[in-house]
Amino acid sequence: MSENLRELISAAKTAFEQASDLDQFKSARLSHLGDKSPIALANRELSQLAPTDRAARGQEINSVKSEIAAMAQSREEELTRERDERILIEERVDVTLPTRVSQRGGLHPLTLLRDDICDLFVGLGYEVAEGPELESEWLNFDALNIPADHPARTMQDTFFIEPLTTKLVLRTHTSPVQVRTMLDRKPPIYVICPGRTFRSDELDATHTPVFNQVEGLVIDEHITMAHLKGTLDHFATAMFGEGINTRLRPSFFPFTEPSAEVDIRCFVCRGESKECRTCKGEGWVEWGGCGMVNPKVLIACGIDINRNSGFAFGMGLERTLMFRHGITDMREIVEGDVRFTAQFGVGR
Ligand code: PHE
């Protein structure tokens, strides 16, 4: 083999070895095996040779060409392997890393509590009743035996709708749903009425102008205060745990007679600490209002008071949520900060 052909092999060998990645290798291969490479030129010059020399020279060129091609192939394989190994390391994905979970919407803790309460009463055979938030004055007040001069009706408490001749208010409690239910159905009536209510209070740690109540109403034969007390005890225990029962404290509501405030056993000290800050040493905390439905209300709603009697109770949902979870500022419930709601499993 001629000297210059042998040199082509060693030049190609060096060039392929010096190529340190596939891009460099490609240009080296072009220079040493491409159309304009010395070996290709040598092949083209064959035609100028005398026919007798052509075959031998042709064979030499072919064998040099295949040697260079073989070197190229093995170098290419080597560089490809190196690149694949590097990519495996550089672009490694740790499949055990936690993923970025997209935020999911969820129900507000008040809604969850409302649903829990409805479930509890549905389990006792009650139905869920609802009424409008924009209510007639007659249903919100008059039918409930709240006379026109009652302080609850004054501008201080009630959001009246203009013009006042519409006689519409934002309901100040869920009790008008009692009236709607009694006007709608015949006893026996067992309903639980959750809903939004409105009073013109400033938002602070213990007040919010928009709040939620849940109201219970039972109208049946031979209903007594003992049924009311038993129902409330069951409700309180379901809400606040074993051992938390209720106490009725005489009070007044125009729509119930007799009426009582419902207190629950202090869920912090359980009545065992005179220093308790939650109940101020009382052993009880106020939860809601209740009573036997006033016969005047029963009559206004067309109920036969010789056959039927009933009880009603009403609680604030926000207050109930605060008691259950040790929330001390009502604003946290209202503001809708996900850092607050996430604690209840919402928005995670
Ligand atoms: N409606 C009363 C209030 O908002 C609560 C209540 C309901 C009292 C039912 C007695 C019976 O204060």
Side-chain angles (χ1 to χ4, degrees):
M1 187 182 288
S2 70
E3 193 57 33
N4 61 352
L5 283 184
R6 225 186 296 281
E7 271 169 18
L8 290 186
I9 297 177
S10 61
K13 188 168 192 253
T14 316
F16 294 160
E17 273 167 10
Q18 278 174 355
S20 60
D21 62 31
L22 283 168
D23 281 343
Q24 288 177 12
F25 168 77
K26 271 182 193 149
S27 67
R29 186 173 55 190
L30 198 65
S31 322
H32 293 274
L33 279 174
D35 283 350
K36 290 177 187 143
S37 61
I39 193 73
L41 289 179
N43 203 35
R44 248 168 267 155
E45 282 161 8
L46 273 180
S47 59
Q48 294 159 16
L49 293 183
T52 43
D53 295 339
R54 220 179 272 164
R57 179 73 175 167
Q59 264 180 12
E60 267 188 4
I61 289 175
N62 267 345
S63 92
V64 168
K65 200 173 167 189
S66 24
E67 198 167 327
I68 296 177
M71 287 189 319
Q73 193 186 347
S74 86
R75 182 63 179 148
E76 184 174 23
E77 281 168 8
E78 197 172 34
L79 286 170
T80 307
R81 205 167 40 245
E82 275 175 29
R83 184 209 49 197
D84 289 351
E85 275 167 17
R86 198 178 54 244
I87 283 178
L88 273 181
I89 293 166
E90 281 174 4
E91 299 181 10
R92 193 164 109 169
V93 175
D94 184 349
V95 292
T96 65
L97 280 177
T99 50
R100 194 185 289 251
V101 184
S102 58
Q103 294 250 317
R104 253 193 305 145
L107 297 176
H108 190 276
L110 271 181
T111 311
L112 296 172
L113 178 62
R114 181 199 66 192
D115 291 352
D116 275 358
I117 294 175
C118 288
D119 280 355
L120 174 75
F121 280 94
V122 166
L124 295 176
Y126 286 55
E127 286 172 69
V128 178
E130 282 178 305
E133 291 170 3
L134 191 58
E135 189 56 284
S136 79
E137 260 187 79
W138 188 80
L139 289 162
N140 193 80
F141 295 123
D142 300 79
L144 288 164
N145 192 35
I146 304 176
D149 57 358
H150 192 279
R153 264 168 109 134
T154 64
M155 287 292 188
Q156 279 170 22
D157 284 311
T158 308
F159 286 114
F160 290 89
I161 301 301
E162 289 187 323
L164 295 181
T165 48
T166 59
K167 299 265 178 217
L168 289 173
V169 295
L170 288 177
R171 66 177 175 197
T172 57
H173 50 181
T174 42
S175 302
V177 186
Q178 286 186 31
V179 179
R180 286 177 172 275
T181 309
M182 287 189 276
L183 289 173
D184 242 33
R185 323 178 179 199
K186 299 226 162 321
I189 293 170
Y190 290 78
V191 289
I192 187 86
C193 327
R196 253 197 306 197
T197 50
F198 308 83
R199 287 182 204 176
S200 57
D201 284 321
E202 289 295 327
L203 179 63
D204 65 23
T206 52
H207 295 89
T208 151
V210 183
F211 57 106
N212 289 266
Q213 284 191 340
V214 58
E215 182 120 357
L217 171 72
V218 166
I219 309 286
D220 204 344
E221 292 175 15
H222 315 300
I223 293 292
T224 72
M225 234 163 158
H227 298 114
L228 170 60
K229 177 73 167 75
T231 306
L232 290 170
D233 279 345
H234 182 74
F235 186 14
T237 306
M239 286 294 106
F240 309 110
E242 220 37 66
I244 304 294
N245 59 347
T246 62
R247 164 180 92 166
L248 300 188
R249 195 158 31 85
S251 184
F252 174 80
F253 297 104
F255 36 93
T256 46
E257 183 58 40
S259 303
E261 304 287 344
V262 187
D263 294 341
I264 52 164
R265 226 336 147 205
C266 177
F267 41 87
V268 175
C269 73
R270 295 186 176 246
E272 280 162 16
S273 163
K274 286 273 160 268
E275 273 88 57
C276 178
R277 287 170 58 191
T278 301
C279 65
K280 303 195 175 63
E282 284 271 317
W284 300 91
V285 276
E286 192 183 318
W287 186 26
C290 70
M292 299 308 288
V293 182
N294 192 322
K296 286 189 187 165
V297 175
L298 294 175
I299 291 167
C301 297
I303 304 283
D304 179 357
I305 57 167
N306 294 316
R307 277 185 77 126
N308 294 293
S309 56
F311 65 73
F313 57 86
M315 276 81 194
L317 267 190
E318 283 79 358
R319 203 170 160 74
T320 308
L321 189 71
M322 289 166 89
F323 287 175
R324 268 165 70 107
H325 299 285
I327 302 163
T328 49
D329 194 329
M330 181 95 87
R331 284 168 290 204
E332 305 214 276
I333 301 176
V334 175
E335 279 163 358
D337 187 327
V338 286
R339 287 170 298 182
F340 171 76
T341 50
Q343 299 174 74
F344 299 85
V346 177
R348 242 184 258 158

